[in-house]
């Protein structure tokens, strides 16, 4: 079932969902199940599974370094299929521009269709570690909007290179990313919102936001998006701070601000156990306010750990 249909069916009730990251290759999927199991009591209608960019590794061959391209956390679609089957829940694979040709994207979408996966998150992906700026893969897309267009075309039965004719179309529901504190490369919040509007005009059905720690930023973002004519559901993405290092890491990686009250509370902690508790409490307050404001879904970035998400969900759902 489509994410947007789950939202309609909920008739204004706020739903619970979360995002997971595939394990590093070679590890068992059981670790994922162990973290999903405790969250199923909150009845998520869908679970997102991220896709990681490929990266370079250097292999020492008798003193000479051999540079190889590899993906450390593959398996997004397989995980989606296995979770869907095991828990009878909708899964949302993240589909990236970076690292994929248009043909590979088409095959991935065909696989999704066969597996009964109705939703995909269409994302550009970040620059690779070695790159300063995002470089599109040869034969791939430059922006998420191009990917949304390709999915829309497939929904209309238009495949690449016009080599087939079909009267049986896929019907993907498409999510895209939004940034309450603007995307790091966007010159301004307004220009970033215009790009978001382009994605929606091309067929995106809903927006999931980057994490934020100050609800005001989310509310202002939604107001600005509505003013610009973006009418699709906007789902807040939230993450509890879990370790002291997050105070530097999260702003650096995601370009988000952390409110001073939260910084002070984390800095006063004597152990990461205390930090986790502070993160949970902050997130509970955020979630309560967002729910009161009528957000369609509270979408948690679990980063593979469920105990803190469970502690929050228990207070909210
Ligand atoms: P876009 O919408 O393409 O935007 C990228 C930048 O280009 C923005 O600054 C935008 O303003 C600008 N732009 C857009 N269109 C144009 C245009 N036509 N001309 C000029 N500028 C333009 N990353 C992963 O690698 N894997 C994941 O699984 C993943 N999941 C995510 C889930 C969510 C909910 C979010 C919010 C992010 C996720 N990301 C993931 C990170 C995401 O890939 C990065 O933030 C990436 O840098 C931008 O992706 P996007 O889809 O927003 O790109």
């Amino acid at each position: 079932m489509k994410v947007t249909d789950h939202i309609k069916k909920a008739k204004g009730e706020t739903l619970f969902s979360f995002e997971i990251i595939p394990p590093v290759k070679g590890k068992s999927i059981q670790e994922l199940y162990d973290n999903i199991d405790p969250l199923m009591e909150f009845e998520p209608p869908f679970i997102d599974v991220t896709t990681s960019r490929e990266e370079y590794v250097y292999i020492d061959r008798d003193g000479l370094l051999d540079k190889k391209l590899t993906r450390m956390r593959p398996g997004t679609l397989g995980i989606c299929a296995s979770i869907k089957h095991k828990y009878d829940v909708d899964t949302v694979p993240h589909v990236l521009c970076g690292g994929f040709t248009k043909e590979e994207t088409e095959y991935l979408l065909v696989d999704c269709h066969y597996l009964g996966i109705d939703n995909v998150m269409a994302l550009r992906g970040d620059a690779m570690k070695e790159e300063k700026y995002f470089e599109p893969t040869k034969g791939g897309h430059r922006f998420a909007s191009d990917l949304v267009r390709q999915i829309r075309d497939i929904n209309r039965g238009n495949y690449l290179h016009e080599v087939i004719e079909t009267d049986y179309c896929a019907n993907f529901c498409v999510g895209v990313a939004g940034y309450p504190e603007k995307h790091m490369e966007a010159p301004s919040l307004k220009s970033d919102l215009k790009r978001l509007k382009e994605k929606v005009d091309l067929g995106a059905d809903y927006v999931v936001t980057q994490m934020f720690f100050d609800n005001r930023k989310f509310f202002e973002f939604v107001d600005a998006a509505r003013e610009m004519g973006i009418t699709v559901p906007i789902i807040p993405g939230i993450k509890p701070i879990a370790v002291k290092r997050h105070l530097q890491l999260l702003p650096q990686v995601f370009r988000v601000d952390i409110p001073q009250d939260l910084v002070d509370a984390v800095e006063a902690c004597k152990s990461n156990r205390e930090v986790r508790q502070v993160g949970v409490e902050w997130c509970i307050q955020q979630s309560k306010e967002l729910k009161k404001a009528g957000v369609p879904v509270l979408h948690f970035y679990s980063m593979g750990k469920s105990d803190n998400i469970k502690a929050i969900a228990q207070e909210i759902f």
Side-chain angles (χ1 to χ4, degrees), residues 30-309:
Q30 188 58 43
E31 202 184 307
L32 267 187
Y33 294 154
D34 291 344
N35 278 293
I36 294 172
D37 286 343
L39 300 178
M40 291 315 288
E41 68 175 277
F42 307 107
E43 299 178 351
F46 61 91
I47 298 171
D48 276 51
V49 184
T50 63
T51 294
S52 65
R53 282 284 330 248
E54 70 280 30
E55 57 191 90
Y56 284 109
V57 288
Y58 297 87
I59 301 150
D60 192 343
R61 295 204 197 281
D62 300 329
L64 287 176
L65 289 183
D66 204 359
K67 188 177 174 189
K68 295 279 178 204
L69 200 55
T70 190
R71 207 175 282 274
M72 295 306 282
R73 295 174 183 269
T76 299
L77 191 57
I79 291 168
C80 282
S82 87
I83 292 174
K84 184 176 163 62
H85 181 68
K86 181 173 164 66
Y87 297 99
D88 192 19
V89 65
D90 281 304
T91 46
V92 187
H94 289 192
V95 181
L96 302 185
C97 303
F100 296 88
T101 64
K102 292 172 200 168
E103 285 77 8
E104 285 165 338
T105 297
E106 183 171 282
Y107 309 147
L108 181 75
L109 291 166
V110 168
D111 281 342
C112 287
H113 186 43
Y114 290 156
L115 288 165
I117 289 171
D118 299 322
N119 306 282
V120 289
M121 247 333 250
L123 298 148
R124 189 194 70 177
D126 280 323
M128 285 171 67
K129 277 183 197 147
E130 290 79 4
E131 293 170 350
K132 195 152 185 224
Y133 301 105
F134 175 86
E135 280 296 329
T137 297
K138 195 163 177 268
H141 295 298
R142 179 173 285 275
F143 295 112
S145 51
D146 303 321
L147 182 54
V148 174
R149 189 184 290 108
Q150 183 178 8
I151 303 167
R152 180 201 64 185
D153 286 347
I154 287 183
N155 278 349
R156 291 175 178 173
N158 298 329
Y159 288 78
L160 292 172
H161 318 314
E162 297 169 5
V163 287
I164 58 156
E165 279 183 28
T166 177
D167 50 10
Y168 178 69
C169 299
N171 188 10
F172 290 111
C173 175
V174 183
V176 289
Y179 302 83
E181 298 176 62
K182 100 172 178 60
H183 183 258
M184 61 183 91
E185 295 160 27
S188 70
L189 185 56
K190 188 155 185 192
S191 67
D192 203 25
L193 271 165
K194 281 187 181 168
R195 300 305 183 187
L196 180 60
K197 173 90 164 52
E198 281 169 14
K199 293 192 273 193
V200 173
D201 290 345
L202 281 165
D205 299 286
Y206 67 99
V207 176
V208 182
T209 75
Q210 184 56 277
M211 67 182 74
F212 56 89
F213 296 91
D214 178 352
N215 285 351
R216 246 178 335 134
K217 303 232 163 106
F218 173 79
F219 294 133
E220 285 167 14
F221 172 75
V222 173
D223 287 348
R226 299 299 181 225
E227 229 167 79
M228 201 164 266
I230 296 170
T231 56
V232 297
I234 300 179
I235 297 174
I238 42 181
K239 175 186 162 43
I241 283 190
V243 288
K244 236 178 206 180
R245 200 163 47 92
H246 278 162
L247 288 186
Q248 284 78 43
L249 194 73
L250 301 179
Q252 187 190 11
V253 176
F254 302 107
R255 308 297 161 98
V256 291
D257 257 10
I258 303 187
Q260 193 56 44
D261 286 354
L262 180 54
V263 175
D264 291 344
V266 171
E267 279 179 347
C269 291
K270 295 194 174 54
S271 66
N272 274 334
R273 202 154 161 255
E274 281 181 38
V275 175
R276 258 181 124 64
Q277 193 50 35
V278 166
V280 164
E281 278 162 22
W282 188 274
C283 221
I284 289 172
Q285 293 316 317
Q286 270 196 285
S287 302
K288 281 185 176 165
E289 194 183 16
L290 289 163
K291 191 173 177 218
K292 201 164 162 217
V295 297
V297 184
L298 284 168
H299 186 71
F300 292 89
Y301 294 111
S302 81
M303 308 279 184
K305 295 273 177 258
S306 59
D307 56 339
N308 50 358
I309 307 296

